[in-house]
Amino acid sequence: MTTVNTGKLVRIAGPVVVAEGLTGARLYNVVRVGTNRLIGEVIRLEGPEAVIQVYEDSSGLQVGSPVEDTGGPLTVDLGPGLLGNIFDGVQRPLPALAAGPDGREVDPFLRRGVELPPLNPGREWDLTFVVGVGELVEPGDVLATTQETEAIEHRMMVPAERNGTVTRLGASPATAADPVAWIDGQPVPMTTTWPVRTGRPVARLLDPDVPLITGQRVVDTLFPVARGGSATIPGGFGTGKTVHEQTLAKWCDADIIVYVGCGERGNELAEVLEEFPNLTDPRTGARLMERTILIANTSNMPVAAREASIYTGITIGEYYRDQGYDVAVMADSTSRWGEALREVSSRLEEMPSEEGYPAYLPSRLAEFYERAGLVESLGRTPRRGSVTVVGAVSPPGGDFSEPVTQYSLRLAGTFWSLESDLARRRHFPAIHWTRSYTLYQLDDWFDGRVADDWADQRHWASRLLGEVEQLQQIVQLLGVDVLAPAERITFQTGRIIREDFLQQSAFDQVDAFCSLTKQYWMLRVIRYLHEQLLGCLHEDTDVDELIGLPIYDLVARMKSWSGTEAEDQAKALLEAIDAELSAA
Ligand SMILES: Nc1ncnc2c1ncn2[C@@H]1O[C@H](COP(=O)(O)OP(=O)(O)O)[C@@H](O)[C@H]1O
Ligand SMILES: [Mg+2]
């Protein structure tokens, strides 16, 4: 990084410091603070003073120390080698940081002011050129590709605002700083940069109409999120936010996962690091880590860098989107990020708004969620790509009326409502079946791809769960015996849907992922049983006997069906239902 101007520190307040003499500095320019050259960002300009948020531990800084303006905003490096890597909130590679200057392992968070290239500068990549000399190119056109990991081809594109004629091609293999090609005599390096607070340009935004398949029944069947859509998952402590985000990271059918661990405990991210390299992607057979990028800004790291980590993550996501991939960005948790905003704002002595959060909390949250999208990329042959955003929210005391939850609800298209009560009863995922919702219209996709009565079945289940909710209130007051026989059956079916369909252990070898076909047949069996039982009812039916039929044991075992045999197993079970009911 270059220095365009140097000033002096005049005040220090934790992660917020004030410098004078940075004439010409612009808002959001990156600065280097103190003799350790800590990374910071100008967040306010007031006359001769620049207010700076410092992204590293600011203890020991002294008034009078130098502050250097680098003349540019916070950017990320974009190029091959991102996949499988772990970065901090300002994209420093954590494994390289931990290696220490003399090769010995050190605590990466204690090393300050270190300037390390995010991408390994020594690594060589074999390039396949997509354009030829003399060709006219425009932003978004792919110049060359390289096999970044087993499953992902990396597409190096003409950067925004560059167009002209390819005058020369780069050499292969090449390293991060080498040019891929020259346009009108000017080199285009393999690694480009992009300011994290600015969304990358696209040709067109499209209507999200394809679901992100997660293999989680309560999600795919009841509350799906679209590719290029957004979801929010608020829940109190221990309700399953982290397990849910990690389960989606493992199983969802995005090509690329960007996982932002923001302000949560470090050991949870360590679990991801241990687990992912050993897991294989069910679709490609490649190691899951090869499609994953981790941004770690855990609770032991400086608070201000949390703010940046969310934007770093989503910018990397957009970069793969522009290459034509479906990307999922997981953030756990946006509340910890909001708290960082609050802390910095209070140091700035800004007028606090709701619950001490700054008045710009909603606009900052929007700047995150609104970068989700299904797009057509720039370039002469546009690609389709998407960024899906899934944000966890940890409201204090599980109270959803607090600001981060409320604003997230307004911004996200899918709401998975985690309930402490369900978690306490070990109903996992603890996503509530009537309080959650999705705004995406994906029924046509499921009807066309899985079964033509998918939507019909889904709406049947939702309706029934709603009815059961009402019956529940009666039962709580007066007991189950007051229900009419048909209501008893509905009540029982509700329990079956909750326990044998919606409950799904993230830690079960077989059931952690449930294919759409299996989801469909499981629900179809439950509905068939329900309708057949209703059909059996006549004046002298003993309802207790019906709802105690041994067939329920087989229904409870549907979860252990393998994905491929689900249809056969279901058909056999439908016959077994017929047999048992005709005997009853
Ligand atoms: N889908 C799930 N399947 C099985 N257990 C779960 C599931 N979701 C959550 N749990 C249980 O709940 C515990 C807390 O979940 P966690 O995701 O850490 O909560 P949070 O992040 O909301 O504080 C987990 O350790 C696990 O025992
Ligand atoms: Mg958690």
Side-chain angles (χ1 to χ4, degrees):
M1 277 188 209
T2 52
T3 301
V4 298
N5 200 356
T6 305
K8 271 193 169 44
L9 268 184
V10 293
R11 275 200 304 284
I12 298 157
V16 176
V17 301
V18 180
E20 265 184 14
L22 286 181
T23 22
R26 276 169 312 194
L27 199 59
Y28 294 125
N29 270 11
V30 171
V31 291
R32 289 295 191 148
V33 182
T35 40
N36 277 332
R37 306 188 74 247
L38 308 181
I39 303 177
E41 201 181 12
V42 177
I43 52 175
R44 197 200 278 168
L45 289 164
E46 285 166 343
E49 294 189 342
V51 181
I52 292 158
Q53 92 179 347
V54 181
Y55 286 146
E56 300 185 78
D57 177 6
S58 59
S59 50
L61 279 179
Q62 283 175 349
V63 168
S65 300
V67 178
E68 304 161 22
D69 175 17
T70 64
L74 188 66
T75 58
V76 282
D77 281 13
L78 302 168
L82 288 166
L83 293 176
N85 223 324
I86 309 151
F87 301 103
D88 74 358
V90 291
Q91 213 202 4
R92 284 178 302 187
L94 286 177
L97 267 182
D102 51 5
R104 271 181 306 147
E105 191 160 325
V106 295
D107 182 344
F109 313 130
L110 294 180
R111 292 186 65 203
R112 300 193 290 169
V114 184
E115 243 178 277
L116 269 179
L119 301 172
N120 179 353
R123 177 145 178 205
E124 293 197 319
W125 300 93
D126 287 319
L127 302 185
T128 305
F129 294 98
V130 178
V131 292
V133 170
E135 210 168 308
L136 214 57
V137 291
E138 53 183 68
D141 282 347
V142 178
L143 294 169
T145 64
T146 189
Q147 203 62 41
E148 184 173 0
T149 62
E150 207 180 315
I152 300 294
E153 175 191 83
H154 196 106
R155 299 163 187 153
M156 284 152 265
M157 299 166 283
V158 176
E161 290 161 33
R162 291 287 300 270
N163 50 48
T165 308
V166 176
T167 45
R168 188 180 151 193
L169 294 178
S172 173
T175 62
D178 290 337
V180 204
W182 280 255
I183 297 175
D184 293 336
Q186 296 298 313
V188 179
M190 181 148 78
T191 302
T192 57
T193 60
W194 191 264
V196 297
R197 293 180 189 278
T198 310
R200 288 172 55 87
V202 299
R204 237 159 17 109
L205 267 175
L206 307 168
D207 245 354
D209 56 356
V210 174
L212 183 78
I213 306 303
T214 66
Q216 309 307 302
R217 289 184 289 270
V218 63
V219 172
D220 296 340
T221 298
L222 290 186
F223 311 111
V225 60
R227 282 189 197 175
S230 56
T232 183
I233 177 160
F237 179 77
T239 51
K241 297 176 295 293
T242 301
V243 171
H244 190 70
E245 293 266 23
Q246 294 186 356
T247 303
L248 297 197
K250 270 185 227 167
W251 300 117
C252 84
D253 69 347
D255 301 305
I256 309 281
I257 307 290
V258 182
Y259 194 99
V260 188
C262 185
E264 294 292 299
R265 292 186 306 274
N267 59 345
E268 290 183 339
L269 269 175
E271 280 167 28
V272 177
L273 291 180
E274 269 171 34
E275 201 179 5
F276 274 43
N278 301 317
L279 292 171
T280 51
D281 182 341
R283 292 175 308 143
T284 61
R287 289 183 313 135
L288 269 183
M289 200 57 203
E290 294 192 355
R291 69 165 190 178
T292 307
I293 298 158
L294 286 175
I295 314 283
N297 200 261
T298 47
S299 47
N300 54 337
M301 294 162 81
V303 75
R306 273 185 216 167
E307 223 261 308
S309 63
I310 291 261
Y311 302 110
T312 297
I314 202 131
T315 306
I316 293 174
E318 286 178 347
Y319 174 64
Y320 282 93
R321 171 203 70 190
D322 295 344
Q323 293 177 48
Y325 292 113
D326 290 310
V327 181
V329 178
M330 317 286 174
D332 183 17
S333 135
T334 58
S335 295
R336 302 283 102 84
W337 171 81
E339 285 161 15
L341 283 186
R342 181 164 64 184
E343 172 158 350
V344 170
S345 171
S346 86
R347 302 274 189 179
L348 289 171
E349 291 168 10
E350 291 173 335
M351 178 79 87
S353 181
E354 297 150 276
E355 302 196 11
Y357 287 103
Y360 47 78
L361 172 74
S363 63
R364 292 290 174 82
L365 266 175
E367 279 164 22
F368 171 57
Y369 280 104
E370 285 170 0
R371 282 172 78 173
L374 175 71
V375 311
E376 203 174 273
S377 72
L378 298 177
R380 288 167 302 165
T381 39
R383 298 162 296 274
R384 242 181 179 234
S386 63
V387 170
T388 308
V389 165
V390 180
V393 186
S394 5
D399 173 13
F400 286 7
S401 67
E402 62 88 40
V404 181
T405 310
Q406 284 301 311
Y407 290 119
S408 302
L409 280 177
R410 280 176 224 172
L411 294 163
T414 298
F415 167 41
W416 295 312
S417 180
L418 288 175
E419 306 282 325
S420 304
D421 198 37
L422 292 177
R424 229 174 285 124
R425 283 161 27 207
R426 313 278 318 152
H427 174 116
F428 288 120
I431 296 174
H432 199 271
W433 45 87
T434 54
R435 271 162 239 164
S436 305
Y437 61 73
T438 181
L439 301 178
Y440 301 105
Q441 309 286 333
L442 301 163
D443 282 347
D444 288 348
W445 187 93
F446 283 104
D447 280 355
R449 297 301 178 91
V450 192
D452 54 14
D453 59 343
W454 171 282
D456 181 47
Q457 210 163 261
R458 158 177 190 250
H459 293 299
W460 168 79
S462 291
R463 255 194 329 272
L464 189 132
L465 289 167
E467 279 170 39
V468 170
E469 204 101 311
Q470 312 221 302
L471 294 179
Q472 191 90 46
Q473 297 179 354
I474 301 173
V475 169
Q476 251 157 21
L477 288 174
L478 304 169
V480 77
D481 293 331
V482 300
L483 298 183
E487 289 172 338
R488 284 286 300 279
I489 288 172
T490 300
F491 199 69
Q492 165 88 345
T493 303
R495 189 181 64 77
I496 301 299
I497 295 178
R498 291 194 311 267
E499 292 177 8
D500 299 331
F501 185 77
L502 296 180
Q503 286 187 16
Q504 185 173 0
S505 170
F507 308 112
D508 185 280
Q509 282 271 324
V510 178
D511 204 34
F513 176 87
C514 183
S515 71
L516 294 182
T517 315
K518 182 172 159 187
Q519 296 187 30
Y520 168 78
W521 282 103
M522 284 174 78
L523 200 52
R524 181 149 164 190
V525 166
I526 296 171
R527 185 179 188 179
Y528 186 75
L529 177 59
H530 174 78
E531 285 167 353
Q532 294 308 105
L533 287 172
L534 285 181
C536 282
L537 284 181
H538 44 82
E539 269 165 42
D540 44 310
T541 318
D542 179 355
V543 184
D544 285 316
E545 191 185 317
L546 277 187
I547 62 182
L549 284 173
I551 195 80
Y552 281 112
D553 294 339
L554 293 180
V555 171
R557 266 183 256 147
M558 295 190 297
K559 287 177 185 173
S560 63
W561 292 346
S562 81
T564 45
E565 63 183 10
E567 185 168 349
D568 293 340
Q569 294 265 28
K571 285 179 175 159
L573 190 47
L574 293 178
E575 281 174 23
I577 290 171
D578 285 340
E580 194 158 318
L581 288 186
S582 60

